[in-house]
Amino acid sequence: MAIMLEQLALHPDQRVLEIGAGTGYNAALIAHIVGKGGHVVTIDIDDDLVLVARQHLAAAGYDSVDVRCADGGYGHPEAAPYGRIILTASAWDIAPAWFEQLAVGGRLVLPLSLRQVQLSVAFERRTNHLESVSVADCGFMPLRGAFACPERVVPLGEEPGPFLLSNGERPIDAHAVREAMSATPVEMPTGVSTTRREVGGSLSLWLALEDGDSCLLSIYADASVVDRSAVPLLIEWPAGDKKQRLTRALLGKQGLVALSRSATDSIGNGERPLPLSIVSFRAEPELVDRMQSYVRAWDRAGRPRTDALRILAYPKGQHVQVPADARALEKRWTTLVVSQS
């Protein structure tokens, strides 16, 4: 929350729209910074949360915050334009209302999902597009309502078995993938060592941007009961009485390949470099070669940091010039031009 408020760069007397009221705590912080001359609207789709947020804000002395129950994807045009808009839920795309209700020169901060990689991006509005001025790694629950993420979850068996997360339109034969994963996997070293922080951020984003067949292979299950070894260990963390394990994978015609690291330091601070391997589940040799080439290209490029990412967002219908060193991601309402330095 502190990082995102820094990205938002609030000033006294500003009009601010928050999407995702939660407990009301973040809205109270925003109201404190913009002061009595400012105006804060916070929206949540859950009427129970709206009621609780109102109670908390009133008890804290911030009952001037306008708390609304609505679908945040539509914004709140009655109080627009806003100098600042912030989301506290991850969005797959930038809804038209957020662009339209943001004043030119204003700032939009949101957790943006780029092929399953979440980044907190601070955009500033230009006349006809948005331009990133700050990027940070993050992790949020997805936005709900009419503007929810269309990301596909493909179960690979009965719960709580492994599943794939994919944004692609290509058909996925869950039975064929499950059959491939039932075979003995073949593990090959990449010759590259990485930290957990790198594989979860910079490398995962590199693979996501380079290849439309990139996806996440994951399992989320009771830590004491379910064997999670079917999913190669890249990242694993506790979540209450459960654990989630995930890895970045490439899906082929016959099988898939995934990344793996040693179980040592799997939940550490992410700063210890460990050898990175490729695990093949009946994958064709071309798919293994692709994964190997991406990992080595990322390493040769200096392992570009996610916070050095530059993103331009253009509402659909505009002609977009894509530089040779950038990638265009077509979303429903925007075209994102992403470059890594």
Side-chain angles (χ1 to χ4, degrees):
M1 293 171 69
I3 290 170
M4 292 180 75
L5 287 177
E6 286 186 345
Q7 289 181 298
L8 200 57
L10 292 164
H11 299 291
D13 304 332
Q14 285 182 320
R15 302 178 70 81
V16 183
L17 173 64
E18 179 192 42
I19 297 166
T23 64
Y25 179 68
N26 202 50
L29 296 177
I30 294 170
H32 180 76
I33 297 172
V34 301
K36 293 183 178 180
H39 181 65
V40 180
V41 179
T42 185
I43 296 176
D44 206 286
I45 200 169
D46 190 324
D47 53 1
D48 291 340
L49 285 178
V50 166
L51 177 61
V52 170
R54 284 189 181 130
Q55 293 171 344
H56 288 166
L57 285 160
Y62 293 102
D63 50 1
S64 61
V65 174
D66 187 359
V67 186
R68 301 282 178 141
C69 184
D71 188 331
Y74 296 100
H76 185 62
E78 291 87 344
Y82 301 97
R84 299 289 188 267
I85 298 176
I86 182 171
L87 274 71
T88 57
S90 70
W92 180 78
D93 197 1
I94 299 168
W98 307 336
F99 181 83
E100 293 162 2
Q101 294 173 27
L102 183 65
V104 174
R107 189 170 287 203
L108 166 67
V109 174
L110 78 166
L112 186 62
S113 180
L114 301 180
R115 292 180 179 165
Q116 306 96 41
V117 178
Q118 279 191 37
L119 299 169
S120 178
V121 184
F123 287 104
E124 284 191 354
R125 181 175 169 181
R126 311 307 181 207
T127 303
N128 65 345
H129 70 282
L130 298 169
E131 183 174 340
S132 68
V133 293
S134 173
V135 178
D137 295 320
C138 70
F140 281 83
M141 294 295 288
L143 189 72
R144 292 183 292 151
F147 297 82
C149 174
E151 184 175 75
R152 288 189 296 166
V153 179
V154 182
L156 302 177
E158 299 294 327
E159 289 190 12
F163 57 92
L164 288 172
L165 291 172
S166 172
N167 279 132
E169 296 298 325
R170 61 168 285 184
I172 297 176
D173 186 339
H175 176 74
V177 176
R178 187 166 60 247
E179 284 292 308
M181 291 186 65
S182 68
T184 302
V186 178
E187 186 168 350
M188 294 149 283
T190 64
V192 174
S193 293
T194 65
T195 66
R196 185 169 63 91
R197 195 181 307 275
E198 286 175 327
V199 294
S202 174
L203 178 55
S204 188
L205 181 62
W206 181 279
L207 292 170
L209 294 177
E210 288 294 320
D211 201 309
D213 290 329
S214 174
C215 60
L216 288 183
L217 174 63
S218 184
I219 187 169
Y220 178 75
D222 188 302
S224 61
V225 177
V226 176
D227 179 13
R228 296 176 303 282
S229 61
V231 174
L233 175 59
L234 189 68
I235 300 173
E236 185 174 81
W237 54 70
D241 60 347
K242 299 181 184 293
K243 282 188 177 181
Q244 182 173 19
R245 174 181 287 195
L246 59 83
T247 182
R248 177 62 64 173
L250 292 180
L251 193 59
K253 296 177 181 178
Q254 303 171 4
L256 74 158
V257 293
L259 296 177
S260 177
R261 294 171 73 239
S262 166
T264 307
D265 194 37
S266 63
I267 306 179
N269 63 12
E271 298 300 337
R272 182 183 176 188
L274 292 172
L276 186 68
S277 299
I278 295 172
V279 179
S280 171
F281 295 94
R282 289 183 179 169
E284 51 269 42
E286 182 272 337
L287 197 65
V288 176
D289 291 342
R290 272 163 61 192
M291 180 68 91
Q292 184 78 274
S293 68
Y294 292 145
V295 170
R296 290 175 177 172
W298 168 78
D299 187 46
R300 288 195 304 270
R303 308 185 177 200
R305 295 163 52 103
T306 51
D307 59 8
L309 205 67
R310 184 169 183 263
I311 307 173
L312 304 176
Y314 296 87
K316 279 293 178 68
Q318 295 187 37
H319 174 71
V320 178
Q321 190 75 28
V322 182
D325 62 346
R327 296 288 183 272
L329 297 183
E330 295 296 340
K331 302 280 189 169
R332 181 177 178 184
W333 298 289
T334 58
T335 298
L336 302 179
V337 178
V338 183
S339 56
Q340 292 176 293
S341 55

